[in-house]
Amino acid sequence: MSDDSRPSPTGVPTAAVIPAAGRGVRLGPGAPKALRALGGTPMLIHAVRAMAASRAVSLVVVVAPPDGAAEVKSLLDAHALPGAPSGGRGSTDFLVVPGGYSRQESVKLGLDALPPEYEIVLVHDAARPLVPVDTVDAVIEAVREGAPAVVPALPLADTVKEVEPADTPGEAEPVVATPDRSRLRAVQTPQGFDRATLIRAHETVTDNVTDDASMVEQLGLPVVVVPGHAEAFKVTRPLDLVLAEAVLARRRMTDGF
Ligand code: CTP
Ligand code: MG
């Protein structure tokens, strides 16, 4: 994307909410996932930097582990957040609030802390620390163009089967259907929203969901997909840490030359 097409810092006030309150059970024992180090820096700090790197984002709300808000505040203070890149960037403010028992509840607590002037809201998983700024900007741009909800997504590499889930893990599971892969997308974050729409979705939808855009779908409003990025993958299992370290090492090489 050329610099000219990037959302400007003076456009519609835009904030990012970063749910970071999960334990990271699938990553195995250790500190809460968002606080684990990648290339020596907590995953959450990478995610905050990725949002603050967009010239359009002027507030980042971090939703911390329920008992970890003070620790997260001092982490944000301790890590230099990105300076103005060439071309300049408005400064970014930060807020920290304690999270809840589910991702959905954590996002809601983050939205509750949002000052009234923000009209566009991104929701970004702390567990996707390496999303490139061009992906962030593409999502913001699509919301500015009028979509109430925007999701970055990628085509699937694997064929997907729908099964009748087994009662016992490891047991064979009967296949029910094979959806046409060309019509499927794997969705990422940041997802972008018209603020009023997202707040209404969180007030209305009571089912437990893992994706904010699906709540807007339940309101019957259009949700659009824009191209995601391979580096916006979610750090979920131990192998994802290996991939994240490799991406960081490659970036350091590229930046060094
Ligand atoms: N999240 C949150 N509050 C929760 C649960 C999850 O803010 N109660 C956040 C996580 O911190 C993460 C994002 O939602 O940034 C996506 O969730 P996921 O990848 O599932 O992280 P965890 O829930 O921490 O991991 P796991 O499901 O393996 O425990
Ligand atoms: Mg989870």
Side-chain angles (χ1 to χ4, degrees):
M1 189 186 292
S2 81
D3 202 51
D4 291 349
S5 66
R6 288 210 170 137
S8 71
T10 51
V12 189
T14 301
V17 172
I18 302 187
R23 290 245 22 118
V25 171
R26 288 170 289 177
L27 206 52
K33 180 161 73 178
L35 304 183
R36 302 236 204 154
L38 275 186
T41 303
M43 205 178 304
L44 170 64
I45 297 296
H46 290 283
V48 169
R49 285 181 173 151
M51 296 300 104
S54 169
R55 298 168 67 207
V57 172
S58 53
L59 173 69
V60 176
V61 179
V62 176
V63 187
D67 55 356
E71 186 183 349
V72 164
K73 275 197 190 99
S74 36
L75 268 183
L76 289 178
D77 290 341
H79 286 85
L81 292 158
S86 58
R89 173 181 67 80
S91 65
T92 309
D93 292 331
F94 300 92
L95 283 176
V96 180
V97 298
Y101 289 106
S102 67
R103 180 187 183 281
Q104 193 171 351
E105 204 183 319
S106 294
V107 171
K108 173 86 163 62
L109 290 164
L111 293 175
D112 288 346
L114 212 57
E117 64 268 26
Y118 290 93
E119 291 174 34
I120 294 178
V121 184
L122 304 180
V123 180
H124 181 62
D125 293 329
R128 297 182 189 273
L130 303 180
V131 60
V133 69
D134 283 356
T135 306
V136 181
D137 284 342
V139 169
I140 295 170
E141 200 50 43
V143 181
R144 285 186 178 185
E145 283 166 8
V150 178
V151 181
L154 289 178
L156 300 183
D158 296 321
T159 295
V160 172
K161 301 282 185 199
E162 183 184 346
V163 299
E164 194 55 62
D167 295 331
T168 325
E171 237 171 56
E173 301 174 313
V175 170
V176 174
T178 305
D180 175 6
R181 189 177 72 190
S182 69
R183 296 177 60 86
L184 299 176
R185 299 289 180 267
V187 308
Q188 304 178 324
T189 72
Q191 300 188 350
F193 303 90
D194 160 60
R195 176 223 178 95
T197 302
L198 183 61
I199 288 183
R200 186 151 67 87
H202 272 268
E203 283 167 357
T204 315
V205 176
T206 50
D207 307 355
N208 196 23
V209 297
T210 56
D211 163 63
D212 300 279
S214 67
M215 303 170 81
V216 174
E217 291 165 51
Q218 289 194 43
L219 293 182
L221 293 171
V223 174
V224 299
V225 159
V226 296
H229 196 286
E231 293 181 6
F233 68 95
K234 186 153 70 78
V235 175
T236 306
R237 298 182 185 85
L239 196 57
D240 299 321
L241 288 174
V242 178
L243 180 59
E245 294 288 357
V247 170
L248 281 175
R250 190 181 62 183
R251 284 186 188 174
R252 275 195 295 269
M253 290 272 291
T254 320
D255 292 350
F257 290 97

